mmCIF file of all heavy atoms in Angstrom:
data_model
loop_
_atom_site.group_PDB
_atom_site.id
_atom_site.type_symbol
_atom_site.label_atom_id
_atom_site.label_comp_id
_atom_site.label_asym_id
_atom_site.label_seq_id
_atom_site.Cartn_x
_atom_site.Cartn_y
_atom_site.Cartn_z
ATOM 1 N N GLY A 369 -7.146 -6.014 -21.302
ATOM 2 C CA GLY A 369 -8.566 -6.227 -21.632
ATOM 3 C C GLY A 369 -8.934 -7.681 -21.544
ATOM 4 O O GLY A 369 -8.074 -8.565 -21.432
ATOM 5 N N VAL A 370 -10.230 -7.922 -21.555
ATOM 6 C CA VAL A 370 -10.796 -9.291 -21.473
ATOM 7 C C VAL A 370 -11.854 -9.419 -22.557
ATOM 8 O O VAL A 370 -12.691 -8.531 -22.737
ATOM 9 C CB VAL A 370 -11.415 -9.566 -20.105
ATOM 10 C CG1 VAL A 370 -12.068 -10.955 -20.075
ATOM 11 C CG2 VAL A 370 -10.369 -9.448 -18.999
ATOM 12 N N ASP A 371 -11.830 -10.531 -23.294
ATOM 13 C CA ASP A 371 -12.901 -10.880 -24.226
ATOM 14 C C ASP A 371 -13.639 -12.054 -23.634
ATOM 15 O O ASP A 371 -13.166 -13.208 -23.666
ATOM 16 C CB ASP A 371 -12.327 -11.252 -25.593
ATOM 17 C CG ASP A 371 -13.416 -11.398 -26.678
ATOM 18 O OD1 ASP A 371 -14.510 -11.909 -26.309
ATOM 19 O OD2 ASP A 371 -13.159 -11.026 -27.813
ATOM 20 N N LYS A 372 -14.790 -11.797 -23.016
ATOM 21 C CA LYS A 372 -15.531 -12.831 -22.305
ATOM 22 C C LYS A 372 -16.060 -13.919 -23.235
ATOM 23 O O LYS A 372 -16.170 -15.071 -22.849
ATOM 24 C CB LYS A 372 -16.700 -12.203 -21.536
ATOM 25 C CG LYS A 372 -16.324 -11.086 -20.577
ATOM 26 C CD LYS A 372 -17.518 -10.617 -19.777
ATOM 27 C CE LYS A 372 -18.636 -10.074 -20.630
ATOM 28 N NZ LYS A 372 -18.264 -8.817 -21.329
ATOM 29 N N ASP A 373 -16.389 -13.519 -24.468
ATOM 30 C CA ASP A 373 -16.956 -14.480 -25.402
ATOM 31 C C ASP A 373 -15.892 -15.396 -25.992
ATOM 32 O O ASP A 373 -16.110 -16.606 -26.162
ATOM 33 C CB ASP A 373 -17.728 -13.760 -26.508
ATOM 34 C CG ASP A 373 -18.895 -12.937 -25.947
ATOM 35 O OD1 ASP A 373 -19.596 -13.474 -25.062
ATOM 36 O OD2 ASP A 373 -19.054 -11.777 -26.353
ATOM 37 N N ARG A 374 -14.742 -14.835 -26.309
ATOM 38 C CA ARG A 374 -13.643 -15.660 -26.817
ATOM 39 C C ARG A 374 -12.865 -16.350 -25.684
ATOM 40 O O ARG A 374 -12.033 -17.202 -25.930
ATOM 41 C CB ARG A 374 -12.660 -14.798 -27.628
ATOM 42 C CG ARG A 374 -13.185 -14.316 -28.967
ATOM 43 C CD ARG A 374 -12.194 -13.356 -29.614
ATOM 44 N NE ARG A 374 -10.855 -13.940 -29.753
ATOM 45 C CZ ARG A 374 -9.761 -13.261 -30.086
ATOM 46 N NH1 ARG A 374 -9.869 -11.936 -30.284
ATOM 47 N NH2 ARG A 374 -8.594 -13.849 -30.188
ATOM 48 N N LYS A 375 -13.167 -15.949 -24.454
ATOM 49 C CA LYS A 375 -12.504 -16.482 -23.275
ATOM 50 C C LYS A 375 -10.984 -16.305 -23.380
ATOM 51 O O LYS A 375 -10.217 -17.270 -23.342
ATOM 52 C CB LYS A 375 -12.850 -17.962 -23.042
ATOM 53 C CG LYS A 375 -14.296 -18.190 -22.650
ATOM 54 C CD LYS A 375 -14.525 -19.664 -22.269
ATOM 55 C CE LYS A 375 -15.942 -19.882 -21.811
ATOM 56 N NZ LYS A 375 -16.183 -21.300 -21.430
ATOM 57 N N CYS A 376 -10.573 -15.045 -23.436
ATOM 58 C CA CYS A 376 -9.146 -14.757 -23.435
ATOM 59 C C CYS A 376 -8.878 -13.378 -22.836
ATOM 60 O O CYS A 376 -9.783 -12.513 -22.815
ATOM 61 C CB CYS A 376 -8.560 -14.823 -24.862
ATOM 62 S SG CYS A 376 -9.125 -13.536 -25.989
ATOM 63 N N VAL A 377 -7.679 -13.191 -22.328
ATOM 64 C CA VAL A 377 -7.234 -11.897 -21.852
ATOM 65 C C VAL A 377 -6.138 -11.410 -22.794
ATOM 66 O O VAL A 377 -5.463 -12.207 -23.449
ATOM 67 C CB VAL A 377 -6.709 -11.958 -20.407
ATOM 68 C CG1 VAL A 377 -7.798 -12.413 -19.466
ATOM 69 C CG2 VAL A 377 -5.475 -12.845 -20.301
ATOM 70 N N PHE A 378 -5.981 -10.097 -22.893
ATOM 71 C CA PHE A 378 -4.953 -9.510 -23.740
ATOM 72 C C PHE A 378 -3.847 -8.929 -22.890
ATOM 73 O O PHE A 378 -4.093 -8.177 -21.945
ATOM 74 C CB PHE A 378 -5.567 -8.438 -24.637
ATOM 75 C CG PHE A 378 -6.656 -8.952 -25.540
ATOM 76 C CD1 PHE A 378 -7.982 -8.766 -25.218
ATOM 77 C CD2 PHE A 378 -6.331 -9.683 -26.680
ATOM 78 C CE1 PHE A 378 -8.993 -9.264 -26.037
ATOM 79 C CE2 PHE A 378 -7.342 -10.185 -27.496
ATOM 80 C CZ PHE A 378 -8.662 -9.976 -27.186
ATOM 81 N N VAL A 379 -2.603 -9.289 -23.235
ATOM 82 C CA VAL A 379 -1.461 -8.975 -22.388
ATOM 83 C C VAL A 379 -0.404 -8.220 -23.177
ATOM 84 O O VAL A 379 -0.079 -8.599 -24.299
ATOM 85 C CB VAL A 379 -0.843 -10.272 -21.791
ATOM 86 C CG1 VAL A 379 0.327 -9.932 -20.883
ATOM 87 C CG2 VAL A 379 -1.884 -11.098 -21.060
ATOM 88 N N ASN A 380 0.114 -7.164 -22.570
ATOM 89 C CA ASN A 380 1.306 -6.479 -23.092
ATOM 90 C C ASN A 380 2.500 -6.972 -22.293
ATOM 91 O O ASN A 380 2.546 -6.846 -21.064
ATOM 92 C CB ASN A 380 1.196 -4.970 -22.928
ATOM 93 C CG ASN A 380 0.123 -4.368 -23.823
ATOM 94 O OD1 ASN A 380 -0.386 -5.027 -24.717
ATOM 95 N ND2 ASN A 380 -0.218 -3.098 -23.569
ATOM 96 N N ASP A 381 3.475 -7.573 -22.984
ATOM 97 C CA ASP A 381 4.716 -7.964 -22.300
ATOM 98 C C ASP A 381 5.859 -7.124 -22.805
ATOM 99 O O ASP A 381 5.659 -6.079 -23.449
ATOM 100 C CB ASP A 381 4.980 -9.472 -22.476
ATOM 101 C CG ASP A 381 5.112 -9.893 -23.936
ATOM 102 O OD1 ASP A 381 5.430 -9.020 -24.773
ATOM 103 O OD2 ASP A 381 4.944 -11.086 -24.221
ATOM 104 N N ALA A 382 7.073 -7.559 -22.555
ATOM 105 C CA ALA A 382 8.257 -6.745 -22.885
ATOM 106 C C ALA A 382 8.396 -6.500 -24.382
ATOM 107 O O ALA A 382 8.917 -5.465 -24.805
ATOM 108 C CB ALA A 382 9.512 -7.416 -22.342
ATOM 109 N N ASP A 383 7.955 -7.432 -25.194
ATOM 110 C CA ASP A 383 8.214 -7.363 -26.635
ATOM 111 C C ASP A 383 6.969 -7.151 -27.486
ATOM 112 O O ASP A 383 7.046 -6.667 -28.613
ATOM 113 C CB ASP A 383 8.910 -8.645 -27.121
ATOM 114 C CG ASP A 383 10.215 -8.879 -26.387
ATOM 115 O OD1 ASP A 383 10.993 -7.906 -26.279
ATOM 116 O OD2 ASP A 383 10.452 -10.008 -25.940
ATOM 117 N N ARG A 384 5.792 -7.538 -26.953
ATOM 118 C CA ARG A 384 4.604 -7.513 -27.771
ATOM 119 C C ARG A 384 3.452 -6.878 -27.004
ATOM 120 O O ARG A 384 3.483 -6.763 -25.778
ATOM 121 C CB ARG A 384 4.207 -8.943 -28.151
ATOM 122 C CG ARG A 384 5.267 -9.692 -28.969
ATOM 123 C CD ARG A 384 4.939 -11.175 -29.011
ATOM 124 N NE ARG A 384 4.979 -11.773 -27.695
ATOM 125 C CZ ARG A 384 4.592 -13.023 -27.420
ATOM 126 N NH1 ARG A 384 4.098 -13.786 -28.387
ATOM 127 N NH2 ARG A 384 4.668 -13.493 -26.191
ATOM 128 N N SER A 385 2.413 -6.463 -27.733
ATOM 129 C CA SER A 385 1.234 -5.884 -27.105
ATOM 130 C C SER A 385 -0.013 -6.615 -27.611
ATOM 131 O O SER A 385 -0.069 -7.079 -28.754
ATOM 132 C CB SER A 385 1.121 -4.385 -27.412
ATOM 133 O OG SER A 385 1.000 -4.171 -28.799
ATOM 134 N N GLY A 386 -0.978 -6.725 -26.728
ATOM 135 C CA GLY A 386 -2.247 -7.323 -27.099
ATOM 136 C C GLY A 386 -2.190 -8.803 -27.392
ATOM 137 O O GLY A 386 -2.959 -9.332 -28.184
ATOM 138 N N VAL A 387 -1.267 -9.525 -26.719
ATOM 139 C CA VAL A 387 -1.148 -10.966 -26.933
ATOM 140 C C VAL A 387 -2.320 -11.673 -26.231
ATOM 141 O O VAL A 387 -2.508 -11.497 -25.016
ATOM 142 C CB VAL A 387 0.184 -11.490 -26.360
ATOM 143 C CG1 VAL A 387 0.276 -12.996 -26.530
ATOM 144 C CG2 VAL A 387 1.355 -10.785 -27.023
#
Side-chain angles (χ1 to χ4, degrees):
V370 176
D371 189 323
K372 305 185 300 293
D373 298 317
R374 289 175 55 191
K375 291 187 178 180
C376 68
V377 299
F378 300 101
V379 182
N380 292 348
D381 59 22
D383 302 313
R384 300 167 296 172
S385 61
V387 178

